[in-house]
Amino acid sequence: MRVVSAAVGFALAVSGVVVGSQAVAAEPVKPGIAVLPDLPELGFAQFDPGTSNVVPAAKAAANDVKSLAGKGAAVGTGTGIYTCPGFSTVDDATSVAQLQADTYAWGPYAPYKVGNGNGNVNWRLNPYKNPSWYMWFHSLRWLGQGIIAGSQGNTAALSRVTAITKDWVTDNSYSWKADIGAYESTMHRTNVLLCLRQAVISGLGVTALPASYAWLDTALVNHARFLTANWSGAWNHGTEESIGLFGVGCTLNRNDYKTTAQSRLAAGITTSIDTQGSTNEQSTAYAQFNYALWGRAVDALAACGADPGTTITSRRELLAGWLALATNSLGKLHQLGDSEVVATNPIAGTPLLYAGTKGVEGPTPVRRIGTFTAGYVFGRTGWGETRTFAQESTYSIRYGASRALHGHSDHTAITYTSRGREILIDGGHAGYQNDVWRTWAKSPYAASAMTTPLAPDSNPVTKLTRSVISPSSEFYQFADVPGAGISRNRAVLVLKDPDLIVSLDRASSKKAQQFQTLWHLPSDQKATVYSRTTAIGMKPGDATRTILFQVPYLQALPAGAILLKQGKTSPIQGWHYPNIFTRNPAPTLLFARSGTSASILSVIAPVPATGSVQYKGRWSGTTYIVDLVVAGKKVSFGITAGGSLYRVP
């Protein structure tokens, strides 16, 4: 149950008024409604304005989400229990006092007076021109503190949140679909209406909703009607819609709503989470949210007379393993797709406990490497068996189906951590406003991959063509067509002891192109280009620096073979979004070529602050060997005539 001590305290403060030396007695504080813990939901709008949000279920539905009432029953008899699912932190910044003044606060924006002070709100306001601000405004989740306080006996708070909610219902007549913010927030607002209904009964100390609140049940029916007619399908929107619809059915004893919700959850689970544990949303942060969301679905079904079956649970178990592998050595998820920098949640009874606590609790996961057909490679040097968890090296590589949902155009891109810090990063998540920053953050230019800036991005399907896993190295090769008439091939060799990454990018084009292999470095580092071959990134005073260099292989290095971009706006390059509200200048190194073909052999070597790297190339028949000395450790790798990379024994 959510901790609501702060709300209780405020209820006392506004109810007990001191007049001279005499105090008016405070209203009694009641236990209030039960509120579930907040899910790890991304605290911003989850849609691209102007694009379709429907994802059809593409796999056979689960056949084990069913009624407990026995064969032949449409749904279970139910217990009538649907716990308020909370307000997902959207209510954190709007106090009960602000609600009394019709003031709404969210994100980094200043609180804004949205009403006349009596609960009459202007629902067309969007002073900050931000789709997230507007969607959460229409979600009514910002009323959360007032709803909780009202359920505990604060009649003033209950009166105000009731007035604001009724005003929304009055001013936004069914079906509100013409307003994207009101439309997209329907699933969230449905749950707020359910929480408010529970708060009215609790706060007034009655056993049934009073007749004067009949409008609230009418609003719930209209919301259920909308959710029934507008299912977003097999992704988090559709899941949330189905849970909310089931909640209305549970609360109002509407078997038709429950039946529809159950069938949609059964249809959605097999597409939302595949048989390897990958979600279809192409985002690590949304994968973590989906894990929690489907757990919420299981609990809601079981609490109101339905059997959630085993398919949802088994797919969540697979997803837990996926998320553990997607956890880097800093205890964060690799930042992929529409993801902010988020920590991995330690979930007892799953590999996430070990990953989320950075090896402090739980059994060590069995798998060190994961290759997923949905388009992810996650790997690590270990789980902290012979060195600390943080000192392990971890990496991700993207491939697979074309960009969709919350994915970015990041195919073949690499993220990398080593020596207790980030080494290679993604540009991050810029939010959902339709501007040049979101365009850049979703583009190949925000990823550590080879780009072809003269050709429009074709949003390719990328194939993993070869892979070899050994105890001290991993090799992967990818191929795709990033633009019309262009072929691209990336071979990646990840070495352990010494820890480093080798990347061979080869491309050809029917027309002359620019070919740029981009390496995005963390924003806390300063990068310096020393020659055509070498650049170094390092945070002043840090114990680690990253040496990035390119070896001439089948192609001479031209003048300007390494370029540095940081904090540029025309064109945009050299930035990082750790979250949607923060944009930091970050060094980006471009290993550049031009012509109709390119061969760019890169080495990314994290070493101690005073460490160095030396290399020498030589031919052995048709194989090119590179001998390295990395911070005093010798290692060699070879490139076969076919472009495969391998560690030389």
Side-chain angles (χ1 to χ4, degrees), residues 476-499:
Y476 311 96
Q477 191 167 40
F478 308 89
D480 62 15
V481 178
I486 302 171
S487 65
R488 178 176 64 171
N489 183 293
R490 167 165 272 189
V492 180
L493 180 67
V494 185
L495 298 182
K496 175 181 180 181
D497 192 27
D499 295 1

Side-chain angles (χ1 to χ4, degrees), residues 2 4 7 32-33 35 87 91 143-153 199:
R2 185 179 181 184
V4 294
I33 61 173
V35 181
F87 310 98
D91 62 325
L143 304 181
Q145 291 192 44
I147 290 173
I148 292 172
S151 78
Q152 296 163 342

Side-chain angles (χ1 to χ4, degrees), residues 54-59 232-237 239 268-274 277-283 286-287 290 294 319 322 374 376 398 401-407:
V54 177
V55 179
K59 304 294 183 180
S232 295
W235 64 312
N236 76 81
H237 283 213
T239 308
I269 181 60
T270 51
T271 297
S272 294
I273 306 174
D274 70 19
S278 300
T279 71
N280 63 341
E281 303 209 28
Q282 298 186 355
S283 158
Y286 276 100
N290 272 279
W294 280 104
L319 177 53
W322 188 98
Y376 299 89
R398 281 282 287 124
S402 299
R403 190 196 73 79
L405 293 174
H406 292 294

Side-chain angles (χ1 to χ4, degrees), residues 422-451:
E422 291 179 313
I423 303 298
L424 298 175
I425 65 170
D426 180 85
H429 182 22
Y432 292 100
Q433 64 287 345
N434 286 326
D435 62 16
V436 294
W437 294 103
R438 173 149 176 81
T439 298
W440 173 80
K442 290 169 55 180
S443 77
Y445 309 108
S448 290
M450 174 184 267
T451 62

Side-chain angles (χ1 to χ4, degrees), residues 373-387:
T373 56
Y376 299 89
V377 176
F378 297 122
R380 58 199 317 118
T381 52
W383 287 102
E385 297 94 336
T386 60
R387 46 177 146 166

Side-chain angles (χ1 to χ4, degrees), residues 175-197:
S175 73
W176 58 82
K177 194 169 183 179
D179 187 330
I180 186 67
Y183 170 22
E184 286 291 341
S185 62
T186 298
M187 55 190 172
H188 308 302
R189 191 172 52 253
T190 301
N191 279 315
V192 174
L193 295 177
L194 290 167
C195 296
L196 177 59
R197 190 182 193 280

